[in-house]
Amino acid sequence: MPAATELQTCVEKELIRMFTASILAGSAAVFSAVTYTFGVFSALYLVLAIGLLALSAGVIFFLGLYIANIIGCRRAGLYTDRMNEFIEFKDPYLAKTYAKRKMPIRVLLEAYKKDKLDFKIDLYDALCQRQEFSTFELTTIEMKVFFLKFVPVIFTHNVQTDRDAVEIHYEIGHDFFHGFLGDNMTYSCGVVTDASEDIEKMQRNKYELVRKKLKLEKDDYLLDLGCGWGGMARHLARESGCEVLAISTSKEQIEYCQERLNSETAIENPPKFKLYDYREIPRNRKFSKISCIEMSEHVGVLHYQGFLKILDEIMEDNGILFLQYVGLRNSWSWEDFVWGLTSASYVFANADASCPIEWLVAQLAKGGFDTYELKIVTPHYAKTIHKWYVRWSTDEIREKMVAKYGVAWYRIYKFFWAWSTIIATQGSATAVQIVSKKAKRSNIGEVDMTLL
């Protein structure tokens, strides 16, 4: 894990460097054009004016954000007499500072991660009452993440930076993810059909739902975007008999997929697992169906139309797209904002396209994909995450993870899954399943009634 942390620091520095370089390159282009037209002094004045304007806008935005946050948190209340009911301090400074004052929730997480405090009751149960001992104040941590990581990422998505982000967050170790995902190793929202189901059954329910919604037949050619550890691709190939190309940008995931495929009961038409970024998919053959399960959030908000353009190019007319997506709600709160930045810091990297659902539907329409069915599955998302939390919290998993990866990383994920269960339960993050179809490009042939 320390190696992953070191790599993350290097990638963050590289993103900042690229972001700075792009600004400097744009400034140089403007400077050259103005110099050629009006002379060097006019160009210098213009560049200085633009720089001061940008700096002023940044300062105003920062101050406005900070002041609004302070006002909101003060209205909610900063002081409490109940800290001792929930928190056991191990650090004297924290014990003194927060004896009667609520802790900013990111400070709480960082202190918990470093074993400077513990919870007197179950962590999830405690966070269900988080307003009694914590606030959603912005700290220097959130500001650093927002301005030095989140904003630069918006402008610097490319094959290499996205691949680096995957390496940091998804190549920690297969046993690490098995600790909360279980045997089918599926890192996305499952589907609940019965409250007593375990996480493996919930994911199999999701696989079957995708198969039925895509109306997969033996003669289909399916692309599974962001296949993860390959559980759904194997299931769809086995149950439908169709040809499946499953892709990921993680070398370790693809190796795992192939090993798991070879070790299981033979599939008549086994899926092919390939180390591809979506921008690297061969164009020699078109797909009739595409599944994209909680992957498109990572392509970038400024690159989403480019992503859909590629899907349009590689998909047959009237092809069906099944998209599962998680985004923040439109009417966000300070908790949503702080949770989103915490997620970007530790768990879901480069997911700046996690936007409200109406944005996604508009993007699909603009990209030439007609939405036929939209279903909110947020309760299933909350149930899935809670299953991950419960599994991660068992003594067996805790002992294994702490021994191999350390207390800090174990506690980060335990805190995050507990908090994320609440975030999904209250609707701060919305999970949706969309069935859409690529618009037909010609007037030849009969009207297609497949999805009606």
Side-chain angles (χ1 to χ4, degrees):
M1 192 63 71
T5 305
E6 182 179 348
L7 178 58
Q8 180 171 356
T9 302
C10 293
V11 172
E12 288 174 0
K13 288 180 179 178
E14 178 65 13
L15 288 173
I16 294 169
R17 186 195 66 77
M18 291 176 61
F19 181 58
T20 305
S22 63
I23 293 175
L24 291 176
S27 301
V30 172
F31 181 80
S32 299
V34 176
T35 300
Y36 179 79
T37 308
F38 301 106
V40 67
F41 288 108
S42 297
L44 286 171
Y45 285 134
L46 179 61
V47 170
L48 180 61
I50 292 173
L52 290 173
L53 184 63
L55 180 62
S56 300
V59 170
I60 291 171
F61 175 80
F62 174 85
L63 289 175
L65 194 69
Y66 188 67
I67 291 170
N69 177 257
I70 289 175
I71 293 172
C73 290
R74 285 187 180 278
R75 284 177 178 173
L78 296 177
Y79 298 94
T80 181
D81 292 322
R82 301 187 64 189
M83 290 298 287
N84 286 332
E85 294 180 32
F86 303 97
I87 306 296
E88 179 183 345
F89 289 105
K90 300 179 182 179
D91 181 276
Y93 173 78
L94 292 177
K96 180 180 179 181
T97 305
Y98 296 105
K100 296 291 184 180
R101 193 199 189 282
K102 297 177 184 178
M103 297 182 73
I105 198 162
R106 185 60 185 265
V107 174
L108 180 69
L109 168 58
E110 296 299 318
Y112 178 66
K113 177 186 81 173
K114 296 173 183 177
D115 200 23
K116 292 184 176 181
L117 60 81
D118 219 328
F119 289 88
K120 293 183 176 180
I121 60 175
D122 176 76
L123 177 55
Y124 171 73
D125 292 337
L127 290 182
C128 284
Q129 304 176 69
R130 61 205 176 282
Q131 289 89 350
E132 298 296 330
F133 57 85
S134 68
T135 68
F136 307 118
E137 294 169 87
L138 295 179
T139 67
T140 55
I141 302 172
E142 281 87 14
M143 291 304 179
K144 179 182 176 182
V145 172
F146 183 75
F147 287 107
L148 299 183
K149 183 176 182 181
F150 186 80
V151 172
V153 160
I154 293 174
F155 297 96
T156 54
H157 276 283
N158 59 50
V159 173
Q160 190 56 53
T161 57
D162 289 349
R163 187 161 276 154
D164 289 341
V166 166
E167 183 178 347
I168 292 166
H169 290 270
Y170 300 105
E171 296 189 353
I172 296 169
H174 301 314
D175 59 336
F176 185 87
F177 290 97
H178 184 270
F180 56 88
L181 297 180
D183 290 339
N184 54 23
M185 293 286 282
T186 300
Y187 202 0
S188 56
C189 173
V191 171
V192 181
T193 59
D194 186 279
S196 63
E197 291 171 335
D198 61 19
I199 189 64
E200 284 83 6
K201 181 62 168 63
M202 288 167 58
Q203 295 296 357
R204 290 196 298 273
N205 294 341
K206 194 253 306 289
Y207 301 162
E208 268 300 286
L209 180 86
V210 173
R211 184 180 70 82
K212 292 174 181 178
K213 294 297 182 181
L214 284 173
K215 300 184 182 296
L216 283 176
E217 303 290 346
K218 195 166 186 177
D219 59 350
D220 276 316
Y221 185 29
L222 169 70
L223 171 65
D224 184 22
L225 285 164
C227 67
W229 289 270
M232 191 177 80
R234 292 193 305 275
H235 180 93
L236 297 180
R238 182 184 296 111
E239 297 301 318
S240 71
C242 73
E243 187 175 353
V244 178
L245 174 62
I247 69 169
S248 170
T249 55
S250 167
K251 182 180 178 181
E252 291 186 9
Q253 282 186 341
I254 293 298
E255 290 173 351
Y256 177 95
C257 288
Q258 197 58 53
E259 290 171 4
R260 185 83 179 254
L261 181 65
N262 295 338
S263 67
E264 292 186 354
T265 305
I267 299 173
E268 181 182 351
N269 190 7
K272 296 179 178 64
F273 294 103
K274 296 292 183 181
L275 185 65
Y276 288 150
D277 181 272
Y278 72 90
R279 287 155 285 204
E280 299 171 329
I281 299 170
R283 304 296 203 275
N284 58 327
R285 185 180 171 193
K286 293 196 173 186
F287 301 90
S288 58
K289 311 286 173 65
I290 296 178
S291 58
C292 182
I293 309 298
E294 295 176 33
M295 169 270 178
S296 70
E297 297 91 325
H298 301 270
V299 305
V301 67
L302 298 181
H303 297 264
Y304 212 86
Q305 278 306 304
F307 167 69
L308 292 176
K309 184 175 185 296
I310 290 174
L311 297 194
D312 180 84
E313 291 172 356
I314 62 177
M315 196 175 202
E316 296 175 356
D317 283 356
N318 287 324
I320 302 174
L321 168 66
F322 183 94
L323 191 69
Q324 185 166 294
Y325 179 95
V326 177
L328 292 174
R329 60 184 170 186
N330 209 348
S331 55
W332 62 275
S333 67
W334 285 115
E335 181 176 18
D336 303 350
F337 186 68
V338 175
W339 175 83
L341 293 178
T342 303
S343 174
S345 298
Y346 288 123
V347 183
F348 297 120
N350 292 21
D352 56 285
S354 297
C355 298
I357 302 309
E358 54 267 36
W359 176 89
L360 175 63
V361 174
Q363 288 292 311
L364 287 168
K366 186 177 178 181
F369 287 86
D370 298 326
T371 296
Y372 279 72
E373 183 179 336
L374 185 154
K375 184 178 181 180
I376 302 296
V377 292
T378 310
H380 300 267
Y381 187 51
K383 191 72 171 178
T384 300
I385 299 172
H386 191 253
K387 292 283 186 182
W388 293 346
Y389 169 77
V390 171
R391 181 179 167 87
W392 191 248
S393 299
T394 61
D395 291 339
E396 179 186 0
I397 297 299
R398 176 181 54 78
E399 290 171 4
K400 288 180 179 179
M401 295 301 113
V402 170
K404 185 171 181 179
Y405 297 102
V407 172
W409 279 102
Y410 173 79
R411 287 189 164 206
I412 287 169
Y413 274 74
K414 183 174 182 179
F415 191 102
F416 187 76
W417 294 141
W419 191 12
S420 297
T421 300
I422 297 165
I423 288 291
T425 301
Q426 67 188 18
S428 295
T430 306
V432 63
Q433 293 173 341
I434 291 178
V435 181
S436 62
K437 181 182 285 190
K438 175 183 170 180
K440 198 170 184 179
R441 298 294 186 247
S442 71
N443 295 320
I444 301 172
E446 298 181 359
V447 174
D448 185 86
M449 305 291 287
T450 307
L451 292 178
L452 300 180

